[in-house]
Amino acid sequence: MAQTDATTKAYSPFRPAAAILREKLADPDALVLCPGVYDGFTARIALAAGFDALYMTGAGTAASVLGQPDLAIVSLPEMAGNAGMIAGLDRNVPVIADADTGFGSSLAVARAVALYSQLNVAALHIEDQAFVKRCGHLRNKAIVSLDEYLVRIRAANLARQECGRDIVIIARTDSLQSLGLDEAIRRLKAAHAAGADVAFLEGLLTKEQCREAVQALAPIPCLLNVVAGGVTPVLDAAEAKALGFKIVLWPIVSLTYTYTSVKKAMQELKDKGWCEPLPGGEGGIRDIFEVCGIEEAARFDRSVGGSALNGKFF
């Protein structure tokens, strides 16, 4: 019997996603640019575009999985499951994932770290909001004490050590809005001393404030969060890199364009009874199945001697 492709192909050894992300952070010339994705479909589209890192947005997960706002409604299993599914689409593309406040006590934080790392999520961020949190670009956020925040970070660090699987810990503070820049920087420095790897100062208001924060936190790698309609100025990748940021998230880019495109199509279908095809027929069933990997699935089946997916699909 002839050997199949599956028996002769040489496979590269598994590399943990956290290790891949750490290499990018250690490269002085690299900027980790992450589009926000919230499900397998948006992740597939981002991967097809060539991104080498992804961000699983908590707001997008709440909206897509539950149809709810970002108000601490999504549970740990729902959030970790979504992050793990996205991380499993391409093991060579690290996924950074939202972990809100850590989902409760120090034990809940430890469980979150263990779950995310078991699912090969590269990094997670934990913030200093009160448990009933809200999106970082909304007003009137309640902030916990520095001591309580550091319990979360220390729990994440200890859980990482005990589970034996690496994951990058990103410390996020939402304290700028109510406590000011100096206190936000103090919190992130303390979080780094407690075991966090990356600093995430949410809600920066100006380009100059971005520069000041990065300089004050050096040499800690810093993350910039660019939210459409939010309070932080829109900086392109080159500007963010020049300011010294190592990671840039565009967390709701998928949500924004899904909202505008689907809203328009739904209204057209309601008003006219049909939707006009897009130029060139883009977005038809063929495009959708191809970006989701239908040809790769067929090749895999053939490589192991299967015949269920033989023949052309289109």
Side-chain angles (χ1 to χ4, degrees), residues 49-121:
F51 282 97
D52 60 4
L54 302 177
Y55 173 65
M56 188 211 75
T57 157
T61 300
S64 63
V65 174
L66 300 179
Q68 297 290 339
D70 185 16
L71 297 172
I73 298 170
V74 185
S75 69
L76 169 56
E78 290 166 327
M79 197 85 92
N82 200 35
M85 178 274 296
I86 293 169
L89 295 176
D90 188 332
R91 72 181 193 186
N92 295 310
V93 177
V95 172
I96 298 171
D98 193 347
D100 285 349
T101 62
F103 305 98
S105 68
S106 63
L107 299 178
V109 172
R111 182 176 178 230
V113 169
L115 279 175
Y116 278 55
S117 60
Q118 287 166 10
L119 293 166
N120 199 36
V121 175

Side-chain angles (χ1 to χ4, degrees), residues 55 57 59 135-138 172 200 202-204 224-235 248-253 255-256:
Y55 173 65
T57 157
C135 170
H137 289 251
L138 298 178
R172 167 175 152 176
F200 176 0
E202 177 66 300
L204 289 160
L224 177 67
N225 197 33
V226 182
V227 178
V231 300
T232 299
V234 175
L235 302 177
V248 179
L249 308 180
W250 282 72
I252 67 167
V253 63
L255 283 173
T256 298

Side-chain angles (χ1 to χ4, degrees), residues 41 45 277-295 312-314:
F41 188 48
I45 294 170
L278 294 173
E282 185 181 14
I285 194 66
R286 178 171 185 158
D287 292 334
I288 292 167
F289 281 138
E290 285 183 347
V291 81
C292 287
I294 193 169
E295 295 297 342
K312 295 183 176 181
F313 292 110
F314 305 104

